[in-house]
Amino acid sequence: MAHSQFELLKQRRFLPFFLTQALGAFNDNVFRNAMLALMVYQMGLSTEQSTLYANLAPALFILPYFLFSATAGQIAEKVEKARLIRITTAMEIAIMSLAAYGFIYSLPTLLLFCLFLTGVQSTLFGPVKYAILPQVLAPEELTGGNGLVEMGTSISILIGMIAGMSLLMIPGYGPQAAAAAMIGLAVTGHLVSRAIPMAPAIAPDLKININILAESLHVLGMVRHNPVVRRAVFGVSWFWFVGTLLSAQLPNYAKLHLGGLESLNLLALALFSVGIGLGSLWCEKLSQRTVEIGLVPFGALGMTVFCADLYFARPGYAPETGITLAQFWQQTGSFRIMADLTLIGLFAGFFIVPLFALIQSRTEKHHLSRVIAGMNIQNAVFIVSAAATGIVLQRYLGFNIPDVFLLLSVLNLAALVYLLLLVPEFFLRFLAWIYIRIMYRVEVQGIEKHVPDDGPALLVCNHVSYMDALLLSSAVPRPIRFVMYYKIFNTPGVRWAFKAANAIPIAGRSEDPQLMERAFAEVDNALADGELVCIFPEGRLTPDGEIGPFKLGMERILAARPVPVVPMTIRGMWASIFSRNGMINTLRLPSRIRAHVTVLAEAPVDGASATAAGMEEKVKAMRGEWA
């Protein structure tokens, strides 16, 4: 059955939340851009005053993330999330009403105070925005849901920026129009938020620590607790560094290097934002509804390549100035520049969405809001660092803007290498993602319905090829611990990969009884921790395409911990290149590529009653004609 993330937009569990966060992002940018335009163009301020306020504004907005993120994370754990969202949208009404007074009476100090308050409100909303998704979405929906949220945010920011400036420029009524729009959007967002279904508090008995510094250090420690999550959070913060440094250059890039007016700045920003939106949406299709972290290196590579190409597209200043949008389109090389900006955004979407889904799926639920809060603190540090980097590069080191793009490409490549070295799982999943999509046409049946969304389970499957584990990993949304023969685990050159994938090596009793006991103990620990464990009960690859007898190790696992047992089968792999059939018949190689493979799961069996013989018959019945 075909699925689409857009189905979520028809469901109450997601649509009101999606609209609320999109309206909030839209209104924030209407306010900020209208406020800056008012200060620069209509208040009669001196150049020194308007420059001071323009530089002070981003600092005031980001300051609450440093001060209150830790407290916001605690509140998001303690309070029912739909209620908390309604509180934040009610705060928005009050803040925008106060800001409207500042607009109408041209009070810059009041407007800057309101900007600080919007930062407080955004800080409070931040942990809820991402922590609520795992509560209302199934694991296979996380990538699609995050993609929609990122798309909605990027497009709302773009439209909000344009709308804020456009409203203020209405002759005679600009400030009043902007004020009315902000209040109307805030009220609309609050009314929509009232339709969000309840999302129960994860830790209702949590005691709020009001010590800002101590709690900030505590939530940052939570981020560091899980190595994979820690690196994923670094990736998200790096996304904000790249996005901040890149977008901050666009106004002057449009003026100095594209030779255009304000319309070219808006075009550049629009292309980047639309690219992020498209990339975010496309993640679900590319990941096939799993948390596919293999997209992260793919996204980072694309960002690196097209940032570099943006430098080579026009390394110097514009050949002519004051050109219109139509004139720019007619220039040689304009399409390349537009394509680069769009593709940087597109690959940024591929980069960021799986990282959010990974953080949500790998973090303990009762810590998720606080981990998001810790991430927001780190994001704020990276955003400020990006702003400072841009100033230092251009003002003190003499970089022009294309030079900044080239350096950003090099830094992005270094960040990717850093991630891959520290978390080889990203690289392994990247290779697996490419391999699976080149070599097979995969159909998945029954995974969403029968593989538990959380909690422990034992997956049992027939064993047809050396690629079975990769195939199952790509089909099941949750991480899987595979039990594998120790001689394969210790294969020179690839042992690091199996270790990075948390595979569990096992030996026969006659080969290494101590290793066998350690393997069973590790399987039991994994199940006790609520993980999925997969075994191939035949104990070897099929030599003839038929399913061999299931060994009794499964029964020993279940005797110690009777978790649900999910029968699974792989159809079509016997015709692929890495089965014994495919490796023997090498002359038929072309027919082995793009084999049509089906991964099938059926209803779990109670672990207390499951037997090796019974599961063997069930898997055989599921297999069909050939494995």
Side-chain angles (χ1 to χ4, degrees):
M1 178 182 175
H3 296 273
S4 169
Q5 65 210 89
F6 295 105
E7 292 295 317
L8 293 173
L9 296 177
K10 302 176 183 178
Q11 300 175 28
R12 187 185 166 198
R13 64 191 171 112
F14 183 79
L15 178 60
F17 164 74
F18 171 80
L19 293 175
T20 299
Q21 65 86 27
L23 285 166
F26 179 70
N27 204 14
D28 277 351
N29 283 275
V30 168
F31 168 55
R32 278 187 278 176
N33 285 276
M35 181 193 76
L36 290 174
L38 181 69
M39 290 180 176
V40 171
Y41 298 115
Q42 296 189 17
M43 281 189 175
L45 301 175
S46 67
T47 302
E48 291 76 13
Q49 285 178 310
S50 62
T51 301
L52 173 64
Y53 290 151
N55 285 283
L56 187 59
L60 286 173
F61 183 77
I62 206 71
L63 180 61
Y65 283 91
F66 289 104
L67 296 177
F68 306 123
S69 283
T71 304
Q74 295 177 88
I75 294 171
E77 303 280 18
K78 185 178 180 65
V79 179
E80 190 271 315
K81 290 183 176 58
R83 179 189 173 200
L84 184 54
I85 291 173
R86 290 194 292 272
I87 291 172
T88 61
T89 54
M91 288 174 58
E92 185 179 355
I93 295 174
I95 294 167
M96 292 305 162
S97 297
L98 188 61
Y101 185 84
F103 267 92
I104 293 171
Y105 292 99
S106 297
L107 304 173
T109 303
L110 179 60
L111 290 175
L112 289 172
F113 176 65
C114 289
L115 183 64
F116 174 80
L117 293 180
T118 62
V120 174
Q121 188 248 349
S122 296
T123 301
L124 187 61
F125 182 70
V128 188
K129 177 178 178 179
Y130 292 106
I132 195 174
L133 291 179
Q135 286 188 249
V136 300
L137 300 180
E140 64 272 11
E141 296 173 325
L142 275 180
T143 297
N146 277 286
L148 287 168
V149 168
E150 291 308 306
M151 179 276 297
T153 300
S154 61
I155 299 302
S156 294
I157 290 172
L158 172 64
I159 299 174
M161 293 176 68
I162 297 171
M165 298 185 69
S166 300
L167 285 168
L168 197 74
M169 297 303 172
I170 295 176
Y173 300 97
Q176 292 85 349
M182 292 184 306
I183 295 174
L185 287 166
V187 171
T188 303
H190 179 70
L191 293 176
V192 172
S193 74
R194 301 187 72 83
I196 298 175
M198 285 186 61
I202 297 298
D205 298 324
L206 179 69
K207 185 177 179 180
I208 302 294
N209 181 4
I210 61 174
N211 187 322
I212 292 174
L213 178 59
E215 189 59 27
S216 295
L217 294 174
H218 182 223
V219 297
L220 288 171
M222 287 182 168
V223 170
R224 294 191 293 269
H225 178 70
N226 183 318
V228 174
V229 171
R230 178 170 72 246
R231 303 309 173 193
V233 167
F234 166 79
V236 172
S237 298
W238 180 253
F239 166 84
W240 281 106
F241 181 92
V242 172
T244 300
L245 186 54
L246 183 75
S247 59
Q249 312 312 313
L250 293 182
N252 282 330
Y253 180 69
K255 179 180 179 181
L256 300 175
H257 298 274
L258 302 185
L261 304 173
E262 181 64 24
S263 58
L264 272 185
N265 174 35
L266 292 176
L267 173 66
L269 182 63
L271 292 172
F272 181 60
S273 300
V274 169
I276 292 177
L278 291 175
S280 299
L281 289 178
W282 206 1
C283 280
E284 186 194 51
K285 184 174 180 61
L286 291 175
S287 67
Q288 295 187 337
R289 293 172 64 81
T290 63
V291 179
E292 183 49 83
I293 60 176
L295 286 174
V296 174
F298 182 57
L301 281 174
M303 291 162 64
T304 295
V305 168
F306 293 106
C307 273
D309 193 66
L310 192 59
Y311 165 82
F312 290 108
R314 186 168 291 177
Y317 290 101
E320 54 182 311
T321 59
I323 64 173
T324 65
L325 202 57
Q327 290 172 323
F328 172 71
W329 285 340
Q330 294 169 4
Q331 283 187 345
T332 302
S334 61
F335 178 80
R336 179 179 176 182
I337 293 171
M338 291 189 292
D340 284 338
L341 288 167
T342 305
L343 289 169
I344 292 169
L346 183 81
F347 281 94
F350 295 160
F351 181 79
I352 189 64
V353 169
L355 288 174
F356 276 128
L358 177 65
I359 293 166
Q360 292 160 348
S361 64
R362 299 284 183 95
T363 303
E364 296 179 11
K365 290 185 177 179
H366 58 287
H367 289 160
L368 180 56
S369 293
R370 282 174 285 176
V371 167
I372 298 294
M375 180 184 73
N376 286 342
I377 295 174
Q378 185 170 297
N379 289 348
V381 172
F382 275 62
I383 289 170
V384 172
S385 299
T389 299
I391 293 171
V392 170
L393 288 175
Q394 294 175 75
R395 182 168 295 182
Y396 299 105
L397 298 181
F399 279 51
N400 66 21
I401 295 173
D403 292 338
V404 174
F405 295 154
L406 184 61
L407 178 62
L408 192 55
S409 174
V410 174
L411 292 175
N412 197 63
L413 183 61
L416 172 61
V417 172
Y418 171 76
L419 272 178
L420 297 185
L421 288 176
L422 291 180
V423 190
E425 185 181 358
F426 283 104
F427 180 63
L428 295 175
R429 290 298 298 234
F430 176 50
L431 294 181
W433 176 73
I434 292 175
Y435 171 79
I436 292 295
R437 277 144 190 82
I438 291 175
M439 298 297 294
Y440 305 108
R441 291 169 293 155
V442 182
E443 180 183 358
V444 177
Q445 298 180 12
I447 301 294
E448 295 179 13
K449 183 177 180 181
H450 299 307
V451 176
D453 290 341
D454 51 41
L458 185 66
L459 311 182
V460 297
C461 187
N462 60 318
H463 200 9
V464 190
S465 82
Y466 292 105
M467 297 295 133
D468 291 349
L470 287 181
L471 192 65
L472 292 175
S473 293
S474 71
V476 176
R478 294 176 58 190
I480 305 174
R481 301 284 302 276
F482 288 93
V483 180
M484 65 187 306
Y485 187 44
Y486 78 104
K487 289 185 177 179
I488 296 178
F489 182 91
N490 291 322
T491 302
V494 294
R495 184 180 185 278
W496 68 272
F498 297 135
K499 187 175 181 180
N502 286 321
I504 301 172
I506 193 168
R509 185 178 298 276
S510 61
E511 296 175 295
D512 190 335
Q514 291 183 338
L515 179 59
M516 185 185 74
E517 293 302 321
R518 286 200 302 271
F520 279 111
E522 193 167 352
V523 168
D524 189 65
N525 289 336
L527 294 172
D529 290 340
E531 296 184 84
L532 292 180
V533 175
C534 180
I535 61 173
F536 299 103
E538 298 164 88
R540 62 172 186 168
L541 291 181
T542 176
D544 55 9
E546 297 292 339
I547 295 178
F550 279 20
K551 296 184 177 181
L552 298 179
M554 184 191 82
E555 294 185 4
R556 176 174 174 179
I557 293 171
L558 295 173
R561 195 169 299 277
V563 300
V565 185
V566 181
M568 301 186 68
T569 191
I570 300 174
R571 300 173 180 166
M573 285 294 278
W574 184 244
S576 70
I577 185 172
F578 284 106
S579 67
R580 287 186 175 175
N581 177 44
M583 297 181 75
I584 292 171
N585 296 305
T586 54
L587 294 178
R588 298 176 59 189
L589 176 61
S591 67
R592 307 299 177 188
I593 299 176
R594 299 297 294 164
H596 188 158
V597 177
T598 302
V599 180
L600 176 66
E602 287 197 352
V605 176
D606 186 351
S609 60
T611 64
M615 297 307 297
E616 178 187 331
E617 292 304 313
K618 185 172 284 290
V619 172
K620 282 182 176 179
M622 295 165 59
R623 182 203 57 168
E625 295 182 2
W626 286 100

